[in-house]
């Protein structure tokens, strides 16, 4: 079996296991409801929230400094939106960009939009107030502070983190995130949305990390 076939087979097995696990869990509405807002997540008893890195995970900066969606990113966000699965960003920006996450997020939006060259606008509205950025240089990833703050904001929801760098995926996994190394050759660019949705219906683990690889 060649490497590509082996990876595809492993992925199909993973999807099958995810489907079986989802079927084995009661489907009462309280356990399966996906929150639409940050306020809802604090009340949810079964839910999932998906956080992303930004650069080279959702967007790509070309040599001419123009910025576009990574392949499949817009479609992935749209599929999450269709299932009402909330998303957030955990991204490094200069702490000097503002005194609050909201101020730094506004500056980030300004910087990205200035060089945005994709025909589809970036889906800023999907992220709401769930954009976590360093308050100090010491909080920059891979320091744990941003993931800890984002996890706290997710309340009782299971948290997913998708990024293109192994060190960030490992750091988030150590803090209890379900992690996925995004944009790899021969793998789905992002964790498939049906599998993400199934996570909301699984019993919450007592132990921390799970990594899809």
């Amino acid at each position: 079996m060649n490497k590509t076939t082996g990876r595809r087979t492993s992925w199909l097995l993973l999807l099958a296991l995810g489907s079986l696990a989802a079927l084995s869990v009661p489907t009462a509405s309280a356990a399966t409801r996906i929150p639409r807002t940050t306020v809802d997540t604090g009340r949810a008893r079964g839910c999932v929230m998906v956080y992303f890195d930004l650069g080279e995970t959702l967007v790509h900066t070309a040599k001419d400094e123009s910025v576009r969606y990574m392949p499949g990113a817009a479609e992935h966000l749209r599929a999450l939106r269709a299932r009402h699965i909330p998303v957030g960003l955990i991204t490094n920006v200069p702490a000097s960009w503002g005194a609050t996450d909201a101020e730094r997020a506004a500056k980030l939006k300004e910087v990205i939009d200035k060089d945005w060259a994709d025909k589809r606008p970036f889906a800023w509205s999907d992220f709401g107030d769930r954009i976590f950025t360093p308050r100090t240089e010491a909080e920059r990833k891979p320091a744990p502070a941003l993931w800890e703050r984002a996890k706290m904001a997710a309340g009782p929801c299971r948290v997913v983190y998708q990024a293109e760098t192994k060190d960030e995926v490992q750091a988030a996994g150590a803090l209890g995130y379900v992690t996925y190394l995004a944009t790899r050759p021969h793998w789905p660019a992002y964790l498939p949305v049906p599998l993400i949705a199934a996570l909301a219906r699984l019993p919450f683990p007592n132990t921390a990390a799970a990594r899809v690889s």
Side-chain angles (χ1 to χ4, degrees), residues 16-97:
L17 288 171
S19 299
L20 288 172
L23 288 172
S24 68
V25 177
T27 56
S29 59
T32 60
R33 185 174 67 86
I34 304 299
R36 294 173 181 267
T37 66
T38 302
V39 172
D40 282 342
T41 64
R43 300 170 183 164
R45 299 187 65 184
C47 55
V48 62
M49 185 176 293
V50 183
Y51 290 105
F52 297 89
D53 181 38
L54 182 60
E56 305 310 311
T57 296
L58 290 179
V59 303
H60 169 66
T61 301
K63 290 183 179 179
D64 64 0
E65 297 189 354
S66 63
V67 184
R68 293 177 173 83
Y69 275 119
M70 291 288 290
E75 294 77 8
H76 185 61
L77 291 175
R78 183 167 62 244
L80 290 167
R81 189 185 315 129
R83 295 215 184 202
H84 307 298
I85 297 174
V87 297
L89 292 175
I90 301 175
T91 186
N92 284 338
V93 303
S96 60
W97 278 8

Side-chain angles (χ1 to χ4, degrees), residues 115-201:
D115 296 316
W116 190 252
D118 202 295
K119 62 182 179 181
R120 303 155 296 184
F122 188 72
W124 291 111
S125 61
D126 288 6
F127 298 94
D129 60 356
R130 298 177 296 274
I131 300 178
F132 294 89
T133 54
R135 296 172 294 194
T136 65
E137 292 304 301
E139 284 193 352
R140 292 178 67 86
K141 296 179 296 181
L146 297 185
W147 290 296
E148 290 171 346
R149 287 166 51 202
K151 189 176 181 183
M152 183 176 296
C157 294
R158 190 182 300 272
V159 283
V160 174
Y161 183 68
Q162 303 193 61
E164 89 290 358
T165 53
K166 289 183 178 180
D167 61 340
E168 290 196 7
V169 164
Q170 291 169 351
L175 293 168
Y177 284 73
V178 176
T179 60
Y180 187 74
L181 189 61
T183 68
R184 285 176 292 174
H186 312 303
W187 285 81
Y190 304 98
L191 189 60
V193 173
L195 188 54
I196 292 173
L199 290 172
R201 299 191 292 270

Side-chain angles (χ1 to χ4, degrees), residues 197-211:
L199 290 172
R201 299 191 292 270
L202 296 178
F204 208 90
N206 292 323
T207 55
R211 181 165 59 90

